[in-house]
Amino acid sequence: MPTLTRVEDQIEVPDRLPVVALRDLVFFPYIVLPILIGRRRSVAALEAAQDDEGLVLLVTQKDPGVDDPGSSDLFRVGTIARVVQVTQLPDGTSRVVLEGIGRARIKRLTTTTEALRANVELLIASELERPESLGSPDDAGNLDELCDAVRTLYADYARLHDRIPDELSTMLSADGDRVRFAHLVAGHLILPSVEKQEVLEEILVEDQLSALREMLIREIEILRIERKLDRQIQLQLGGKGSPFDLSPKSRQAGQEQGQDREEWEEIADQIEDAGLPDHARARAEKELNRLKKLNPVAPEAAVIRTHLDWLVALPWNQRSEDNLDVGHAAAILDAEHFGLGEVKERVLEHVAVLSLVREMRGPILCLVGPPGVGKTSLGSSIARALDREFVRVSLGGVRDEAEIRGHRRTYVGALPGRIIQGMRRSGTRNPVFLLDEIDKMARDFHGDPGAALLEVLDPAQNKSFTDHYLELEYDLSDVLFIATANTLQGVPEPLRDRMEVIRLPGYLDTEKREIAQRFLWPRQALQHGLGSEETITLSAEALDRVIRRYTREAGVRELNRRLSRIARKLARAVADGEDLADIVQAADLKKLLGPPTYQPADRDDDADRIGIANGLAWTSVGGEVMDVEVAIVAGSGNLRLTGTLGDVMKESAQAAVTYARSRAALLGLDPQFHEKIDVHIHIPEGATPKDGPSAGITIAVALISALTDIPTRSDVAMTGEITLRGRVIGVGGVKEKAVAALRGGMTKVVLPHANETDLESLPREVLDAVDFDLVKTMDEVMTAVLASQPVDRRERLRGAAAGVSPPHG
């Protein structure tokens, strides 16, 4: 049963909850609110909640007009609420007071005649947004600035809105809990349910606060326009007045005209002080002249004012002075990240070139690697090494081209794209700009955001980047763009061509140990109150056991979570007054973390490995050692493939079978053997989709082992593709696969000869522990992997005629 943790308590949430559908209402966590329940399914859900844990899932309807909503009528993210009080009303409805405690995503919704029930997945990334989960002090500072901006804007919003009491804004505070603050502000906004649902579905509190800030800016502008329009209408209804009319209405009209003139003068001063380039200055002055001719309450006037605000707020000429000390940059990178030598070397080269030429077009780096290897935090460290501002924009799920290029001003609520918004936040024209999760952009009828990024990331074009909202060229050539991706498969080829790809293959166990000792455990100990003068440490044996028996990943996120759990257990023991040792030993881990999650691989070299071969696979989360199993049964020549294989891997299996048939004589098999048997090729973990052109030789070895009854070596893994003639061709992802082989206890890796140059980029620890056998043909593969070699059928027949017992097969 998952647990939802809040500042006040811990609440166990069942995997399955009754659902109450809401009309025109989005319920947020931390909100206590009464609602009326009268529909049959909602009443049944309330009764089920009272009989069980007292918890329900509140989900908003997409169309409030639907009386009996089904699965397709509900949003997929809702709020888990606790029933506080139920009062039966005379008309048969129930007045229920509910307290929101957390958010959940619906994994599966079951619709019955009695009630709606949902299998849920907790959205706890945001609910646990505490200072310890922030990447750096700069991240915390950005969140504090966002909170202050939202608090100030909400105070203005409450003052302008007639339906919100002014004192409510003073009650909302972000001190100690930014997530609570974001949800309380969102819950007290008077907005359409669709917009509030977007805030509810944002995972990160930073994204929630950014969305709230933009909504508040828009709503405040609308409220101000409405007030001005109301005053103008009242003046017109009361008469225009005369030059000698000293009535209160006439005096108020004169005051408003004076205020407009002050506003124009203020905008003119801002244009003068902004240091705009000539083309931007001319455009700003033209817009200001248009503004002066318009009625202040006209909708177009508000659009022009907002456009001018963006023009003067952008950093057109402001630059931060680069720190070009290579030693300083190296010290920062080494202090905050262990390993990652190729990335550090590339950054130091950039700093060195800058120190010589003083100005160069910013490179476009793309960090590709599994989750948790430090791609995002590395971007922040690069900014600190250069003494530049740091801007991060997450592109995961972006499917609209306007998110990159901005909306045209003809649309209501138009804004610049994320690139220009990020430049405004940075305050300089040469920040380090991180484009996170560039491989997770979507593409639909709204346009292709990947194509929109081509102009941003092309050094030959981004000097004159044009945002649809600004309608002006903006120079991005001084920006150091860094993109991150788990895999390049989702990145369009033209976009990939404009970036310098640097691969992060994942960490070795020794690197994980160093990272845990230097960074992860000291941070966890400090955040959980264990970082006093008598700091509790973990022994080297304990760390190794956590890494090898409780985690299995390329990065260090799961390792960090395990260390956090150890710190929580120790903090609880300290709070209970227990005497703890200064060092946590390996024997203590079972009590702190429970039984080990992963058992050591049993790869004894015995005769039971007939029909099994160790393959190496590349995945978006790092390399893996993958077993391929082949079974031979009596049949009529059928080939069966299982294990959720993609089309490429199916073709590799078919090519391996054809190769084995073509080499029947060498293998000592009847040339027509395939007509009397069925071949079943299986790759375990069938729930995980697998595809890619690198499993051909592995499938062929497992098949030949099963056909000849010759076992394979358990300490040898292989990767490579096979042709019908038995040639072995090169593959990709060698670095990730080699690291996985070392992690899996392999002593030898069979690699295509075409990948010989990839060995030069492998870590020294891998080269020292693993032997690499470079092969060109399947004959060489069989020599390296099979425990003994097949004998030509003609030799077997000669041996039988001479009374010699034949070998295997």
Side-chain angles (χ1 to χ4, degrees):
M1 184 176 292
T3 301
L4 188 63
T5 302
R6 302 199 305 172
V7 173
E8 303 87 359
D9 52 11
Q10 288 189 348
I11 302 168
E12 291 189 344
V13 179
D15 294 328
R16 189 170 172 81
L17 288 173
V19 176
V20 173
L22 303 177
R23 304 177 191 257
D24 273 334
L25 173 65
V26 179
F27 206 104
F28 282 84
Y30 303 98
I31 297 288
V32 178
L33 193 68
I35 64 174
L36 295 178
I37 291 181
R39 287 188 286 186
R40 174 172 49 85
R41 285 183 175 176
S42 298
V43 172
L46 178 62
E47 292 173 353
Q50 291 176 301
D51 293 339
D52 195 3
E53 303 288 338
L55 300 178
V56 294
L57 181 64
L58 304 177
V59 185
T60 304
Q61 295 180 201
K62 297 177 181 178
D63 182 3
V66 178
D67 291 326
D68 191 13
S71 175
S72 61
D73 300 315
L74 301 177
F75 289 104
R76 311 313 292 177
V77 174
T79 296
I80 301 171
R82 179 165 43 197
V83 178
V84 178
Q85 182 183 16
V86 180
T87 305
Q88 298 296 332
L89 300 180
D91 61 355
T93 61
S94 300
R95 182 180 183 273
V96 185
V97 180
L98 297 165
E99 178 194 9
I101 62 173
R103 299 176 299 158
R105 178 181 285 112
I106 296 176
K107 297 168 61 178
R108 184 164 59 89
L109 187 67
T110 304
T111 305
T112 65
T113 56
E114 292 79 19
L116 297 172
R117 286 184 175 271
N119 293 77
V120 299
E121 172 188 18
L122 298 182
L123 297 183
I124 59 175
S126 173
E127 310 303 325
L128 295 178
E129 189 71 33
R130 303 289 178 251
E132 63 264 28
S133 64
L134 297 175
S136 68
D138 290 346
D139 293 335
N142 292 337
L143 278 177
D144 289 337
E145 292 176 3
L146 269 176
C147 288
D148 291 340
V150 171
R151 186 187 299 108
T152 302
L153 289 169
Y154 188 82
D156 294 340
Y157 174 80
R159 178 174 51 82
L160 293 170
H161 208 295
D162 297 332
R163 295 171 56 187
I164 298 179
D166 293 342
E167 59 271 13
L168 181 61
S169 62
T170 61
M171 298 170 56
L172 299 180
S173 172
D175 294 338
D177 195 342
R178 303 179 182 91
V179 175
R180 181 188 183 97
F181 171 74
H183 287 161
L184 288 176
V185 170
H188 288 92
L189 285 177
I190 301 177
L191 291 172
S193 58
V194 175
E195 296 187 20
K196 299 178 77 170
Q197 180 71 25
E198 291 177 359
V199 178
L200 184 70
E201 292 183 1
E202 290 287 355
I203 298 297
L204 299 179
V205 65
E206 180 180 3
D207 296 337
Q208 287 183 316
L209 292 171
S210 297
L212 288 173
R213 180 181 61 183
E214 299 301 330
M215 291 178 182
L216 284 168
I217 291 174
R218 183 195 65 201
E219 292 299 312
I220 289 172
E221 189 67 28
I222 292 173
L223 289 172
R224 286 174 175 167
I225 293 173
E226 290 176 349
R227 287 205 168 190
K228 281 191 174 184
L229 185 59
D230 289 342
R231 288 195 296 268
Q232 184 71 16
I233 293 173
Q234 291 172 4
L235 287 173
Q236 292 176 355
L237 291 176
K240 297 182 179 180
S242 65
F244 305 101
D245 186 3
L246 300 180
S247 64
K249 290 184 178 180
S250 178
R251 290 196 302 269
Q252 183 180 9
Q255 290 172 358
E256 289 186 356
Q257 292 177 359
Q259 291 173 358
D260 291 336
R261 283 194 296 271
E262 291 179 1
E263 182 180 1
W264 298 334
E265 293 174 358
E266 181 181 352
I267 294 175
D269 292 339
Q270 291 175 351
I271 294 174
E272 183 68 27
D273 297 338
L276 303 178
D278 293 340
H279 70 289
R281 183 185 182 91
R283 182 60 176 275
E285 291 175 348
K286 180 179 178 181
E287 293 289 307
L288 179 58
N289 291 332
R290 287 182 58 205
L291 179 63
K292 292 178 181 179
K293 298 175 183 179
L294 291 173
N295 190 322
V297 297
E300 189 177 357
V303 174
I304 293 177
R305 277 195 297 268
T306 306
H307 186 239
L308 287 172
D309 287 343
W310 276 99
L311 286 181
V312 300
L314 284 175
W316 296 91
N317 295 306
Q318 297 86 346
R319 296 176 56 92
S320 58
E321 190 66 27
D322 286 333
N323 189 329
L324 303 180
D325 185 350
V326 178
H328 166 77
I332 293 244
L333 295 175
D334 290 337
E336 298 183 0
H337 295 273
F338 182 82
L340 307 181
E342 183 179 354
V343 187
K344 293 178 181 177
E345 186 67 23
R346 180 62 184 85
V347 174
L348 295 179
E349 290 172 358
H350 178 68
V351 176
V353 173
L354 275 178
S355 66
L356 297 177
V357 301
R358 294 294 172 179
E359 184 176 355
M360 65 177 294
R361 290 186 175 180
I364 316 296
L365 305 180
C366 184
L367 308 180
V368 180
V373 297
K375 300 185 295 295
T376 303
S377 59
L378 186 61
S380 177
S381 299
I382 292 173
R384 281 193 290 275
L386 294 171
D387 281 352
R388 290 191 181 188
E389 297 295 326
F390 177 67
V391 180
R392 173 184 172 271
V393 171
S394 178
L395 299 179
V398 171
R399 66 183 188 279
D400 191 349
E401 179 185 350
E403 293 281 343
I404 307 298
R405 287 187 174 274
H407 300 80
R408 299 192 183 276
R409 286 190 291 154
T410 52
Y411 295 102
V412 176
L415 283 174
R418 296 196 180 193
I419 303 300
I420 294 298
Q421 291 182 31
M423 295 302 297
R424 178 175 179 174
R425 290 200 306 270
S426 73
T428 64
R429 57 176 292 180
N430 62 332
V432 173
F433 204 117
L434 183 73
L435 300 170
D436 215 0
E437 298 177 333
I438 198 171
D439 58 325
K440 295 180 178 60
M441 291 186 299
R443 178 180 179 179
D444 63 6
F445 63 93
H446 292 95
D448 185 1
L453 277 177
L454 292 178
E455 184 181 358
V456 176
L457 299 183
D458 192 339
Q461 300 182 48
N462 61 14
K463 187 176 181 63
S464 55
F465 172 71
T466 302
D467 185 275
H468 288 161
Y469 181 84
L470 290 184
E471 297 178 347
L472 289 171
E473 293 184 353
Y474 189 85
D475 187 359
L476 297 174
S477 60
D478 289 336
V479 179
L480 173 54
F481 284 104
I482 300 177
T484 70
N486 295 136
T487 172
L488 288 176
Q489 292 179 357
V491 182
E493 184 63 33
L495 188 59
R496 191 186 316 175
D497 181 61
R498 285 162 170 80
M499 299 184 294
E500 179 181 347
V501 177
I502 300 177
R503 296 188 177 274
L504 285 69
Y507 294 115
L508 303 172
D509 288 352
T510 54
E511 293 175 327
K512 290 182 181 179
R513 187 189 311 121
E514 290 292 331
I515 292 171
Q517 289 176 338
R518 295 187 188 183
F519 306 105
L520 302 183
W521 178 249
R523 186 184 305 164
Q524 293 293 346
L526 182 62
Q527 293 169 355
H528 290 83
L530 305 175
S532 59
E533 296 180 358
E534 299 179 357
T535 303
I536 299 176
T537 60
L538 272 67
S539 67
E541 293 78 11
L543 270 179
D544 287 342
R545 189 174 181 84
V546 172
I547 293 169
R548 295 173 181 172
R549 302 293 298 278
Y550 290 91
T551 66
R552 184 169 292 175
E553 57 175 347
V556 292
R557 282 183 183 162
E558 181 63 22
L559 175 59
N560 192 40
R561 284 192 284 266
R562 293 291 183 175
L563 295 179
S564 176
R565 184 175 179 183
I566 293 175
R568 290 197 303 271
K569 294 285 187 181
L570 295 177
R572 170 69 184 275
V574 171
D576 291 341
E578 298 182 19
D579 293 331
L580 299 178
D582 294 338
I583 301 177
V584 176
Q585 301 294 342
D588 303 326
L589 294 179
K590 188 171 183 180
K591 179 180 178 181
L592 296 171
L593 296 177
T597 307
Y598 304 101
Q599 299 298 327
D602 184 13
R603 301 189 184 277
D604 296 333
D605 191 2
D606 53 28
D608 292 335
R609 289 189 55 83
I610 294 175
I612 302 177
N614 300 325
L616 293 173
W618 179 92
T619 70
S620 61
V621 295
E624 289 185 2
V625 178
M626 176 182 66
D627 288 341
V628 175
E629 299 178 353
V630 175
I632 305 297
V633 295
S636 57
N638 294 323
L639 172 64
R640 187 178 183 186
L641 307 171
T642 56
T644 317
L645 307 184
D647 293 337
V648 175
M649 195 167 285
K650 289 179 181 178
E651 293 177 357
S652 297
Q654 292 166 353
V657 173
T658 301
Y659 167 76
R661 289 176 56 188
S662 69
R663 307 288 280 179
L666 173 64
L667 300 175
L669 301 173
D670 187 337
Q672 305 300 322
F673 74 91
H674 61 283
E675 297 180 352
K676 305 174 183 178
I677 62 172
D678 286 346
V679 178
H680 187 165
I681 300 175
H682 177 67
I683 301 180
E685 298 183 9
T688 304
K690 294 170 281 291
D691 201 9
S694 64
I697 65 172
T698 310
I699 297 173
V701 166
L703 175 62
I704 292 170
S705 172
L707 291 171
T708 61
D709 287 338
I710 300 176
T712 63
R713 291 181 53 182
S714 61
D715 62 339
V716 178
M718 67 204 81
T719 180
E721 194 51 83
I722 186 177
T723 69
L724 296 180
R725 303 296 298 272
R727 290 187 299 110
V728 179
I729 57 180
V731 295
V734 172
K735 185 181 292 187
E736 291 85 351
K737 294 174 181 178
V739 172
L742 176 62
R743 191 183 300 123
M746 301 292 109
T747 61
K748 178 186 284 189
V749 170
V750 177
L751 200 65
H753 194 276
N755 292 109
E756 182 179 11
T757 56
D758 292 322
L759 299 180
E760 300 175 3
S761 62
L762 296 184
R764 173 51 54 186
E765 184 175 347
V766 175
L767 294 174
D768 291 342
V770 179
D771 292 331
F772 290 89
D773 196 344
L774 300 175
V775 297
K776 294 182 178 179
T777 65
M778 269 302 301
D779 292 341
E780 298 176 49
V781 175
M782 290 189 291
T783 301
V785 180
L786 297 180
S788 61
Q789 298 304 306
V791 178
D792 190 292
R793 188 166 183 264
R794 290 166 296 183
E795 295 184 13
R796 295 164 55 86
L797 295 176
R798 286 196 297 268
V804 179
S805 177
H808 283 290

